[in-house]
Amino acid sequence: MTINVLFSASRRDWNVYETELLKAFAAQGLSVDLRPTPRSAPRDDTPTHAPREVDYLICTPDGAMADFSPFHRTKAVLSLWAGVENIAPNPTLTQPLVRMVDPSMTEGMVEWVTGHVLRHHLGTDRHVLDQSGAWRPEAPPLARERPVTILGIGALGQACAEALQGLNFPVTGWSRSQKTIPGIDCYDGAQGLSMALQSAEILVLLLPLTSATENIINARRLAEMPKGAVILNPGRGALIDDADLLSALDSGQISHATLDVFRIEPLPSDHRYWSHPQVTVTPHIASETRAPSASRMVAENIRRSENGEPLLNLVNRDAGY
């Protein structure tokens, strides 16, 4: 039996994903009629599926799909993004929602996080940017002497924690619900957050964005961190109160912030983060969904659904992730 799949994203995404999705469906032995929405289609005459015909909907938060109510037959909405805060609250969405957890995305995040943790731990900027001829033989501490805290120890956070642990960093993790990871000190709840921050010489933010996590890094929480700590944010821009972070940077409470995500993207050229000497901006490159591996995850979930197996990475709509 043919499975009708509708793709709702940008035209660029359709051009990237069409071939990879068809390859992934074939590898799973699925007979799929994959079509784009008019917005995704490369030409105005490209055939599409009517909502009443759609078995599965593949989408991105910027795919302009605002009303899910006509999709009565749809068994699942499969997001190509890890973040689903722009989809999950939609009151018309009654179908199961799946977020993207892509092995390549995890690899990219681990590489970005470990790279920047090591950069700040070793003081690489000081040597790279100062080639004045001054000889300053100041050795950094060992990794085992540099505590790192990760807020958000889901799939991405746990992978980063384990990679840093493998480099001998003492790693603390915090999440809203209790977690147990061998070798990682795990905390949860408001009191646990304070405890996790108190030792964080390097703080990594990998929380989902919800009403409970927006502005979670604010003046109060910044003051709980060791003076001179470093913040890395490859998670969500709105996890940080920008004004409070800039104030903490100006005072020296925080010595540096390396930021990959922002409330407005692209980050406006006149934003103070660009000019602040203690801020590094990277343009949302920490972790990118790769079409080949993401397509395999989509195909696997459709296969599971068609065989009555539970969906992978199903979103808890109440929690928002």
Side-chain angles (χ1 to χ4, degrees):
M1 186 180 78
T2 300
I3 303 165
N4 292 336
V5 177
L6 184 66
F7 186 93
S8 175
S10 67
R11 291 186 179 182
R12 175 185 175 278
D13 286 330
W14 172 255
N15 292 334
V16 170
Y17 274 93
E18 180 187 13
T19 300
E20 296 298 337
L21 283 167
L22 291 173
K23 285 165 52 177
F25 294 145
Q28 290 285 4
L30 300 170
S31 176
V32 171
D33 184 356
L34 175 67
R35 302 186 188 183
T37 60
R39 181 178 182 269
S40 306
R43 300 185 311 276
D44 292 340
D45 60 348
T46 304
T48 189
H49 289 302
R52 66 180 181 277
E53 302 169 342
V54 175
D55 296 305
Y56 297 92
L57 177 60
I58 301 171
C59 68
T60 59
D62 63 349
M65 183 61 67
D67 185 5
F68 296 90
S69 57
F71 294 88
H72 301 293
R73 173 170 145 177
T74 302
K75 301 173 187 177
V77 175
L78 308 166
S79 175
L80 292 176
W81 290 12
V84 292
E85 63 270 11
N86 293 333
I87 303 177
N90 190 318
T92 70
L93 180 63
T94 58
Q95 302 86 348
L97 174 63
V98 172
R99 65 188 181 91
M100 179 53 64
V101 178
D102 169 19
S104 295
M105 181 187 298
T106 302
E107 288 179 42
M109 184 63 78
V110 168
E111 291 172 8
W112 190 94
V113 168
T114 54
H116 284 286
V117 166
L118 285 169
R119 167 192 161 214
H120 290 294
H121 165 64
L122 296 172
T124 302
D125 288 7
R126 181 172 65 253
H127 303 293
V128 170
L129 299 176
D130 181 7
Q131 295 292 299
S132 64
W135 189 260
R136 298 186 179 93
E138 301 167 1
L142 296 172
R144 60 183 172 81
E145 301 169 319
R146 180 87 70 186
V148 178
T149 290
I150 298 177
L151 302 191
I153 45 174
L156 292 176
Q158 181 171 342
C160 292
E162 290 171 345
L164 292 170
Q165 182 189 38
L167 293 170
N168 289 333
F169 288 98
V171 181
T172 297
W174 181 88
S175 56
R176 293 180 61 197
S177 57
Q178 188 174 13
K179 299 283 181 66
T180 301
I181 303 173
I184 308 296
D185 292 329
C186 297
Y187 294 96
D188 61 278
Q191 183 175 359
L193 178 58
S194 293
M195 295 175 67
L197 291 175
Q198 286 169 10
S199 64
E201 292 188 16
I202 300 177
L203 177 68
V204 182
L205 303 180
L206 283 170
L207 289 163
L209 180 60
T210 68
S211 59
T213 62
E214 185 172 2
N215 292 325
I216 193 169
I217 299 303
N218 51 36
R220 173 192 171 190
R221 298 305 183 184
L222 291 163
E224 292 178 326
M225 296 176 64
K227 187 174 180 61
V230 169
I231 293 176
L232 310 181
N233 187 15
R236 291 289 179 267
L239 297 174
I240 293 175
D241 184 307
D242 294 326
D244 287 353
L245 175 57
L246 286 165
S247 178
L249 288 162
D250 289 341
S251 72
Q253 172 62 19
I254 302 299
S255 65
H256 201 99
T258 294
L259 310 174
D260 186 61
V261 287
F262 308 91
R263 292 173 186 269
I264 300 173
E265 295 184 1
L267 184 67
S269 59
D270 61 350
H271 197 288
R272 194 172 169 221
Y273 281 150
W274 285 114
S275 59
H276 200 290
Q278 274 74 55
V279 175
T280 301
V281 171
T282 64
H284 204 146
I285 56 170
S287 186
E288 181 75 13
T289 303
R290 268 73 173 181
S293 53
S295 296
R296 290 192 290 270
M297 291 301 299
V298 169
E300 168 64 11
N301 257 331
I302 291 178
R303 183 203 66 78
R304 294 174 71 90
S305 177
E306 291 298 297
N307 286 280
E309 301 174 30
L311 293 164
L312 300 173
N313 310 312
L314 189 64
V315 172
N316 180 330
R317 301 287 297 285
D318 292 332
Y321 58 92

